[in-house]
Amino acid sequence: MTGSRSSHRRRLLQARRHPLQTLLSLVILLLISWVVWSTGAWLIGGANWLIVTENLPLFAVGSYPESERWRPLLWLALLSLMTALTLLQPIISTRLRISGLVLSWGWLAMLPIGLLLLAGGAGLQTVSSRDWGGLTLTLLLTGFSGLLALPLGILLALGRRSSLTLPRHLCRLYIDGLRAVPLIAVLFFGQLLLPLFLPVEIEINRVLRAVVAFALFAAAYVAEDVRGGLQAIPGTQLEAAAALGLGPWQIQRLVLLPQALRVAVPALTNQAIGLLQNTSLMAILGLVELLGISRSLLANPAYIGRHLETYIWLAGLYWLVCTAMALMARQLERRHPSSTSAIPS
């Protein structure tokens, strides 16, 4: 208590010696308060949110047939339920807590369930991918692209660290080449140029082309994140695994990769969030995800001049989804902390 009083007295004396610094701090605080107050007053009383409230179904599912909108909405509800169950695990009693394995399989099942609900089949009416859009399409692109990019990135990271010359140089060429190319160029090639090289009778779905382009691009960055995790593991791990009689593939599968992926969780989370945000580039190439829906709505004469409300709404929606992803990744880190001091059993 005495120490806190003395430190407080010391700060007051320092403020008296530097009045200009104190005045500048007060001015900055007043400026921040004014900005927060003005922004809040505009958001509550000055903004016109009709463009958002009247078009919430469009932001959620795009131009999906109205009679079948329950399908993408059901998938979004399942995703929200899985997110809530995952984030509430630390505060749920041990008796009601869901195991991490069940949650993992539940998240993996969300992608085929979403594809089945959106595309149709198994008794559901078939809906063309041209009618997919909004938040549903954004999450679908992110999920499938990440699912393809992760194993491909792991293989590239292992290939770049390989002792074989040809695979090592090919993986290095791929990783360095994709990282040197802007994402919009890869998407442009996948959406517009790739069909020109295929026979006329072969037509690849636009959503599939987008997923493959995103996955190929993200895999190069995932490979570098995984390679960083592999480099963080001390060499004594390899020596101990070899002393136990494990083969090269067993060492990679049982010793190196589990620890490397735990170390790389923060970087991989950053890549997943970046992948979600980069799906907005598809609006330039014709897919009506969140940004594409907003652009089409702003072209409506009834909503001319509502750009600020629209983009603030989009920013808040992206922030909500990205924050949920970051919190789930942080919970994964706490549940499985990275450790390179011992070989996992």
Side-chain angles (χ1 to χ4, degrees):
M1 188 70 179
T2 306
S4 61
R5 288 180 178 177
S6 61
S7 60
H8 180 65
R9 189 178 304 163
R10 194 181 305 112
R11 285 195 295 268
L12 288 177
L13 291 175
Q14 185 177 5
R16 292 176 182 176
R17 295 174 183 173
H18 303 281
L20 184 59
Q21 183 179 1
T22 304
L23 180 61
L24 183 61
S25 300
L26 290 175
V27 170
I28 293 175
L29 287 175
L30 290 174
L31 182 61
I32 293 174
S33 302
W34 175 78
V35 170
V36 171
W37 175 265
S38 302
T39 304
W42 179 82
L43 290 175
I44 297 174
N48 186 348
W49 298 105
L50 287 179
I51 188 173
V52 176
T53 56
E54 293 179 352
N55 299 285
L56 282 177
L58 286 178
F59 282 109
V61 301
S63 58
Y64 209 83
E66 189 171 353
S67 60
E68 301 293 327
R69 282 182 178 175
W70 64 269
R71 289 152 54 177
L73 291 177
L74 174 61
W75 187 55
L76 291 178
L78 290 175
L79 288 175
S80 301
L81 177 62
M82 287 296 300
T83 303
L85 288 176
T86 304
L87 294 179
L88 293 176
Q89 285 303 298
I91 61 176
I92 296 178
S93 63
T94 308
R95 186 174 52 185
L96 301 176
R97 190 171 299 173
I98 304 174
S99 67
L101 184 62
V102 174
L103 280 176
S104 300
W105 281 109
W107 277 110
L108 286 177
M110 286 296 103
L111 290 177
I113 289 174
L115 185 61
L116 176 64
L117 288 173
L118 288 175
L124 296 175
Q125 177 185 345
T126 303
V127 177
S128 172
S129 60
R130 295 182 180 180
D131 296 324
W132 303 359
L135 179 61
T136 306
L137 182 58
T138 296
L139 296 178
L140 194 74
L141 288 174
T142 305
F144 276 103
S145 301
L147 187 64
L148 292 177
L150 182 59
L152 181 56
I154 292 174
L155 292 176
L156 288 171
L158 294 176
R160 186 160 185 174
R161 288 171 53 89
S162 174
S163 58
L164 301 176
T165 304
L166 183 59
R168 184 173 68 252
H169 286 296
L170 288 178
C171 291
R172 180 179 298 174
L173 181 64
Y174 178 89
I175 293 171
D176 294 341
L178 264 294
R179 293 176 68 198
V181 176
L183 175 57
I184 188 63
V186 178
L187 296 176
F188 180 81
F189 179 82
Q191 289 293 313
L192 303 179
L193 297 183
L194 183 60
L196 300 178
F197 296 96
L198 298 175
V200 179
E201 62 273 10
I202 298 179
E203 182 179 357
I204 302 178
N205 187 286
R206 289 195 309 165
V207 176
L208 178 60
R209 294 203 301 264
V211 167
V212 172
F214 274 117
L216 293 177
F217 183 83
Y221 291 87
V222 170
E224 288 299 281
D225 295 335
V226 175
R227 188 168 70 94
L230 290 170
Q231 289 179 341
I233 300 174
T236 53
Q237 298 277 337
L238 295 175
E239 298 173 2
L244 291 175
L246 299 181
W249 287 108
Q250 289 178 314
I251 293 175
Q252 295 287 347
R253 183 171 59 89
L254 301 175
V255 178
L256 295 182
L257 278 179
Q259 297 183 82
L261 291 177
R262 290 171 192 166
V263 173
V265 163
L268 293 176
T269 304
N270 188 42
Q271 293 300 332
I273 292 175
L275 187 61
L276 173 71
Q277 296 171 348
N278 286 333
T279 56
S280 60
L281 293 174
M282 293 309 302
I284 305 175
L285 301 176
L287 286 181
V288 283
E289 41 68 66
L290 277 175
L291 185 61
I293 291 291
S294 303
R295 288 161 59 96
S296 62
L297 287 174
L298 290 172
N300 189 337
Y303 301 121
I304 289 179
R306 299 303 173 192
H307 294 77
L308 195 54
E309 291 90 341
T310 304
Y311 290 125
I312 287 178
W313 158 251
L314 280 185
L317 194 56
Y318 274 112
W319 175 83
L320 183 64
V321 178
C322 293
T323 302
M325 294 172 63
L327 290 176
M328 287 189 288
R330 187 177 302 172
Q331 185 170 316
L332 179 64
E333 289 182 67
R334 292 173 180 171
R335 178 174 295 184
H336 302 288
S338 61
S339 174
T340 58
S341 59
I343 300 177
S345 57

